[in-house]
Amino acid sequence: MKKRLVSVLLCTAMVASMVVGCGGGSTTSTEEEDYVAGDAADFDWKNYEGTTINVMFNEHNYSKAVISKIEEFEEKTGITVEYSSTPESNYFDKLNTSLSSRSGTPDVYMTGAYQVWEYASAGYMEPLENYINDPAKTDPNYNFDDFIPATVESLQWDLVPGHAVGEGSQWALPMGWELNCLAYNKNVFSEKGVEVPTTTDELLETATALNEFNGSGSYGVAVRGTREWATIHPGYMSLFATWGGKDFEIEDGKLVCQLDSKEAIEMTDYWVELIKAAGPSQWSNYTWYEASSDLGAGKAAMLFDATSAGYFQNFEGASDQSGNIAWSTIPLPEGKTEEDMKANVWIWSLAMNADSKNKDAAWYFIQYFTSPDYMLYAGTDGASPDTPRQSVMDSEEYKAVVGSADNYLESIAALTENATIQFTPQPYFFECTTKWAETLQDLVLTDKYSSTEEAMKQLKGELDTIVSDLQVSE
């Protein structure tokens, strides 16, 4: 039933996408072709005074920073904000239920980039370009062009399965983004006399050598391992793309899984070996929280995950190892150079419910909390280090605070060169990546498969079946 529903929605969405513009660009549907922007003289932060909006947050440093400034937003606008903050373990289940009810609540919600492919296809997201481009609705100091291109382009999509991000409507705006690379305990490396790995062979060798560096239970490298999509998208997918792997390709108007390729098999085989040789003993229960906490507690010597995951352990008082963490770029597989290095991107963002009854007030909330002034606060005082705005990145205040972390900004600069969403956009993303994570767990924990090749070929067949009803274009 779900697939039939998505197919119907996609047919409607693909027709609408034919008249969709890019970025903060043109109109979003035939009904909006006659849309006329207002006059800048009509913009006033008090325009929607007396309105009440509802906002749903995932519990995170990014949302904590927003919540700390809600009172200021209410004073500036006269808009009342009611909100909830839910742990990530059940946040998206709660959000999905709310959106599917089509009740209009919440008006604004926190989401990731991959959710766009499901939510926008299902009609749960309001396109934002007509708000961004309307001088009567947007503060003249908002400066959409100040966003780092990869952060907003990753939230643009034309609703056609298989088409890359970067074209189509602007479905959300970034609160902060996450690249993925290697963080490590520099004191441990110094005490043990080991060098920071620059290749995947060196990473495996170094991680294995650092097992029990701090007594029983300590180990080489922390990575995620739960049986869900979030295990695939950080370190694994970044290295997978650097290795040359792809999840899907368009062939004869169909999405065809590529997880049986030589690159996909070799990379997965390496990842399984790394986990077995030097990963946490309870790897199958590890989310970003457990993995990053082990680095901060001095239990893991390295962390291969989001840049900010290590940062949250490093600022003063955050953990036992605060101040001892440094960053490196992704170790390269044999035969690859820095030009091949790729980082997968995750973006926490704010989106508007297409069924909201308070869209203009909701837009005021979104623009306020993605504005340059707010982003400077979030990137410095708000413990939200990976700013999506170039002006904040260039500011001396930001450099003084975030740049104090050893090689943090340098690693971001290097990774940004080839940073984008490395997955193929399609509405069954979560079902496919959860199957992928299940296969990875089976390879690490069981004897279900005689080889990685056998596992990946079986996985390919399963994913081809999942996406078989999607009709796409070249």
Side-chain angles (χ1 to χ4, degrees):
M1 182 175 292
K2 177 184 176 184
K3 284 195 173 185
R4 288 198 296 272
L5 174 61
V6 170
S7 295
V8 171
L9 289 166
L10 283 172
C11 290
T12 303
M14 283 190 278
V15 171
S17 74
M18 294 177 183
V19 292
V20 172
C22 298
S26 59
T27 55
T28 58
S29 74
T30 52
E31 294 179 358
E32 295 180 347
E33 284 183 346
D34 296 329
Y35 176 85
V36 178
D39 192 284
D42 295 329
F43 179 81
D44 188 325
W45 280 108
K46 292 289 189 180
N47 276 343
Y48 305 104
E49 186 173 12
T51 306
T52 297
I53 62 171
N54 181 279
V55 182
M56 284 183 64
F57 293 111
N58 174 69
E59 196 171 286
H60 195 281
N61 274 27
Y62 291 128
S63 57
K64 290 176 184 176
V66 171
I67 290 167
S68 73
K69 293 291 186 178
I70 283 180
E71 185 175 341
E72 291 183 12
F73 170 79
E74 291 179 325
E75 291 176 358
K76 187 179 183 72
T77 63
I79 297 169
T80 299
V81 179
E82 297 176 350
Y83 69 88
S84 61
S85 183
T86 305
E88 190 170 339
S89 58
N90 59 346
Y91 171 71
F92 285 109
D93 289 339
K94 179 180 177 182
L95 177 61
N96 291 345
T97 299
S98 296
L99 293 176
S100 63
S101 74
R102 312 307 296 243
S103 66
T105 301
D107 299 286
V108 176
Y109 55 94
M110 185 172 169
T111 188
Y114 315 144
Q115 280 78 7
V116 168
W117 311 333
E118 181 177 343
Y119 294 167
S121 296
Y124 297 157
M125 284 183 153
E126 177 78 1
L128 298 179
E129 52 266 30
N130 283 342
Y131 299 89
I132 296 167
N133 292 336
D134 191 338
K137 295 182 178 180
T138 300
D139 189 323
N141 297 313
Y142 185 69
N143 192 7
F144 179 84
D145 292 336
D146 178 46
F147 282 108
I148 295 169
T151 66
V152 287
E153 289 171 2
S154 295
L155 297 168
Q156 297 165 4
W157 189 44
D158 65 5
L159 298 179
V160 181
H163 282 195
V165 296
E167 295 186 2
S169 279
Q170 189 72 52
W171 296 106
L173 287 169
M175 304 169 75
W177 64 329
E178 297 172 1
L179 304 154
N180 296 281
C181 70
L182 193 69
Y184 62 96
N185 189 313
K186 57 187 179 182
N187 285 0
V188 170
F189 273 61
S190 177
E191 291 168 3
K192 300 298 182 181
V194 295
E195 298 292 327
V196 179
T198 59
T199 69
T200 50
D201 285 345
E202 290 174 4
L203 173 60
L204 177 60
E205 180 181 351
T206 302
T208 304
L210 288 173
N211 280 332
E212 300 194 350
F213 69 91
N214 194 23
S216 178
S218 59
Y219 61 95
V221 60
V223 295
R224 304 189 203 189
T226 54
R227 214 171 177 87
E228 59 184 354
W229 64 273
T231 288
I232 302 299
H233 86 84
Y236 176 95
M237 192 61 189
S238 294
L239 188 56
F240 181 88
T242 298
W243 212 288
K246 293 184 178 181
D247 56 350
F248 290 93
E249 293 273 24
I250 298 176
E251 297 178 3
D252 299 324
K254 300 286 287 184
L255 278 184
V256 178
C257 182
Q258 305 295 310
L259 294 187
D260 61 339
S261 71
K262 176 177 179 291
E263 294 82 3
I265 292 168
E266 287 181 353
M267 183 274 156
T268 303
D269 199 47
Y270 169 83
W271 197 255
V272 169
E273 184 179 3
L274 180 67
I275 294 165
K276 287 182 174 180
S281 60
Q282 299 299 312
W283 167 78
S284 61
N285 297 319
Y286 268 50
T287 67
W288 70 271
Y289 178 79
E290 287 79 19
S292 60
S293 294
D294 277 5
L295 181 68
K299 185 177 179 181
M302 293 179 282
L303 169 69
F304 203 158
D305 205 283
T307 43
S308 59
Y311 185 91
F312 296 148
Q313 301 294 326
N314 193 56
F315 58 83
E316 186 175 355
S319 71
D320 289 343
Q321 297 302 313
S322 60
N324 293 336
I325 298 171
W327 284 261
S328 175
T329 49
I330 299 173
L332 293 166
E334 184 179 354
K336 300 293 182 180
T337 69
E338 289 188 9
E339 293 182 356
D340 301 305
M341 185 175 65
K342 294 180 173 62
N344 190 46
V345 171
W346 168 263
I347 301 177
W348 279 118
S349 56
L350 292 174
M352 187 191 303
N353 188 346
D355 295 305
S356 168
K357 308 301 189 297
N358 307 295
K359 290 181 180 177
D360 289 329
W363 167 240
Y364 269 36
F365 183 92
I366 292 172
Q367 70 167 301
Y368 186 90
F369 287 106
T370 58
S371 67
D373 287 346
Y374 169 76
M375 286 293 175
L376 180 59
Y377 160 76
T380 53
D381 296 338
S384 304
D386 297 346
T387 179
R389 283 194 172 267
Q390 191 64 50
S391 62
V392 177
M393 182 78 75
D394 293 338
S395 72
E396 293 305 315
E397 185 178 354
Y398 178 82
K399 290 177 182 177
V401 174
V402 180
S404 64
D406 192 350
N407 206 45
Y408 190 83
L409 292 182
E410 292 81 357
S411 68
I412 295 292
L415 293 168
T416 301
E417 293 296 320
N418 287 314
T420 189
I421 291 177
Q422 306 295 341
F423 294 102
T424 302
Q426 49 90 8
Y428 302 141
F429 168 81
F430 295 100
E431 186 176 354
C432 289
T433 46
T434 297
K435 283 283 186 184
W436 198 343
E438 291 172 357
T439 298
L440 193 60
Q441 268 204 8
D442 287 339
L443 281 167
V444 173
L445 302 176
T446 74
D447 296 322
K448 180 177 180 179
Y449 302 105
S450 62
S451 65
T452 302
E453 181 177 5
E454 179 192 355
M456 297 302 276
K457 285 184 175 180
Q458 180 171 317
L459 178 60
K460 171 203 162 43
E462 292 174 351
L463 300 198
D464 279 338
T465 299
I466 290 173
V467 303
S468 61
D469 65 332
L470 296 178
Q471 296 293 324
V472 300
S473 58
E474 299 291 348

